[in-house]
Amino acid sequence: MSADISAEEAGISWKLTALVDRTAAEAALAASVEDAWDSDLVMSAHEVEADRYDPINAGLWRIEAWYPRRPDAALREQLDTMFAGNAPDFDLEKVEPQDWVTLSQQAVAPVHAGPFHIRTPEFPADPGAIDLVIPASRAFGTGQHQTTAGCLAMLGWLKTRGMRPRDIADIGTGTGLLAIGALKLFPSANMIASDIDPVCDEIVRENARDNGVAMGRRQGALHYVTAAGMDHPALKSRAPYDLLIANILAGPLIELAPDFARAVQPGARIILAGLLTTQEARVARAYVRQGLRMENRIIDGDWSILCLRRSMR
């Protein structure tokens, strides 16, 4: 590489990895989307699943961050501030350039989930299924992950059971795939979708357009808002819902159980995903305590997709 070409120009990026507790991980993710934060740093976090092979990391979270330049003193100082002066020891790895679009298109094959056929634009439609076109995206939810596919399958199961929801909320919508799929099944419903990540606004709109779903607040259209949990006036004003979908993480699902239970009417269903099978009992208990009962579950690999129903009383 020529000395006058930067790593960023050459397509090289750097990956930083560390293990932290959940509180630190959530604080780091919140800080990474603030206006003052360096927008070149892309950060994610996920819970480390404890098992007999890795008991030492039980309950920890893995922070992963990508940066287009070798981290300098200024970035390290900002990271230290993010962790209140107690930043973890980050492992640093140089990531060579890749044509990620080409690679993703090669790897992403169509998925069948219940009545749905989910594909990227490079693949043909399946005339015998409800066709959903979702390109490789900056947001979570392209149908390839078991949790997204499981939620779509659960929606199909509810349709076969005769459910006809009028008011639906999709919390943590990502690409908008689950909201779009729900509207394909229940085209007369009032649909609202939300995500904490502002980038999802544009992505949801693009995917709705490409799948023939109108945006707006009217019946049969998709209304999107940026919000954390149920914390938005539009989400509160549309309640109570008879179907609520949340494909997020086990921790937030447990914390939001009281809010979700208050937001649905008697007899309503809540579809929960983003939890590992080993986390299922803890998540289910949080909702049983709020007056819901387990109605169905789908297991796909290590992941559980749950459908719970609120009692009629």
Side-chain angles (χ1 to χ4, degrees):
M1 181 171 63
S2 172
D4 60 353
I5 299 178
S6 68
E8 182 177 10
E9 292 168 330
I12 295 173
S13 61
W14 299 81
K15 181 179 177 181
L16 300 92
T17 308
L19 290 172
V20 298
D21 61 30
R22 188 183 74 175
T23 301
E26 292 175 345
L29 288 177
S32 70
V33 297
E34 293 179 354
D35 292 339
W37 187 252
D38 188 338
S39 60
D40 284 340
L41 184 74
V42 178
M43 181 170 289
S44 70
H46 63 273
E47 189 173 1
V48 176
E49 179 54 26
D51 57 32
R52 58 180 177 169
Y53 302 109
D54 191 16
I56 195 171
N57 291 325
L60 293 180
W61 284 60
R62 178 171 285 108
I63 289 276
E64 295 179 325
W66 291 264
Y67 201 60
R69 300 175 294 281
R70 186 180 184 91
D72 55 14
L75 179 64
R76 291 180 182 277
E77 183 177 339
Q78 196 170 24
L79 287 169
D80 196 53
T81 301
M82 171 188 287
F83 291 96
N86 190 28
D89 293 328
F90 280 94
D91 292 330
L92 184 62
E93 174 189 358
K94 183 166 70 172
V95 181
E96 298 294 341
Q98 297 280 356
D99 184 351
W100 293 112
V101 174
T102 299
L103 289 175
S104 66
Q105 290 173 356
Q106 291 172 347
V108 177
V111 171
H112 282 91
F116 298 98
H117 176 249
I118 310 102
R119 62 183 177 89
T120 58
E122 295 73 35
F123 290 90
D126 180 349
I130 299 173
D131 198 56
L132 299 175
V133 182
I134 304 289
S137 175
R138 293 165 287 167
F140 178 80
T142 60
Q144 302 304 310
H145 197 276
Q146 295 98 317
T147 59
T148 309
C151 286
L152 290 169
M154 192 70 81
L155 287 170
W157 178 80
L158 286 173
K159 178 72 178 278
T160 65
R161 299 274 293 181
M163 188 181 189
R164 299 293 183 270
R166 294 171 298 175
D167 296 285
I168 308 173
D170 178 18
I171 309 301
T173 193
T175 62
L177 175 58
L178 296 180
I180 293 167
L183 274 177
K184 294 289 186 178
L185 279 181
F186 311 112
S188 62
N190 298 303
M191 167 62 71
I192 186 167
S194 68
D195 201 284
I196 195 171
D197 188 348
V199 75
C200 293
D201 190 345
E202 178 184 358
I203 295 169
V204 169
R205 293 178 186 279
E206 291 173 355
N207 289 331
R209 179 197 64 215
D210 293 345
N211 285 278
V213 170
M215 297 295 298
R217 305 187 184 193
R218 64 185 183 278
Q219 191 176 28
L222 172 54
H223 180 200
Y224 172 82
V225 296
T226 299
M230 301 299 295
D231 190 20
H232 193 283
L235 287 167
K236 296 174 182 177
S237 66
R238 288 219 180 181
Y241 301 97
D242 42 14
L243 176 59
L244 187 148
I245 309 161
N247 182 13
I248 43 179
L249 292 169
L253 287 176
I254 292 171
E255 293 173 7
L256 287 166
D259 292 342
F260 287 170
R262 284 192 295 268
V264 298
Q265 61 187 347
R269 271 82 167 202
I270 299 179
I271 296 175
L272 303 177
L275 58 140
L276 294 157
T277 55
T278 52
Q279 300 167 327
E280 179 182 319
R282 282 184 290 147
V283 173
R285 279 197 299 270
Y287 286 82
V288 170
R289 286 196 290 265
Q290 300 300 323
L292 289 101
R293 61 175 176 83
M294 186 79 71
E295 187 173 54
N296 192 17
R297 63 199 284 265
I298 295 173
I299 304 299
D300 193 341
D302 295 329
W303 301 92
S304 294
I305 297 88
L306 310 180
C307 180
L308 298 105
R309 187 171 188 177
R310 185 176 174 184
S311 66
M312 294 299 296
R313 293 183 295 149

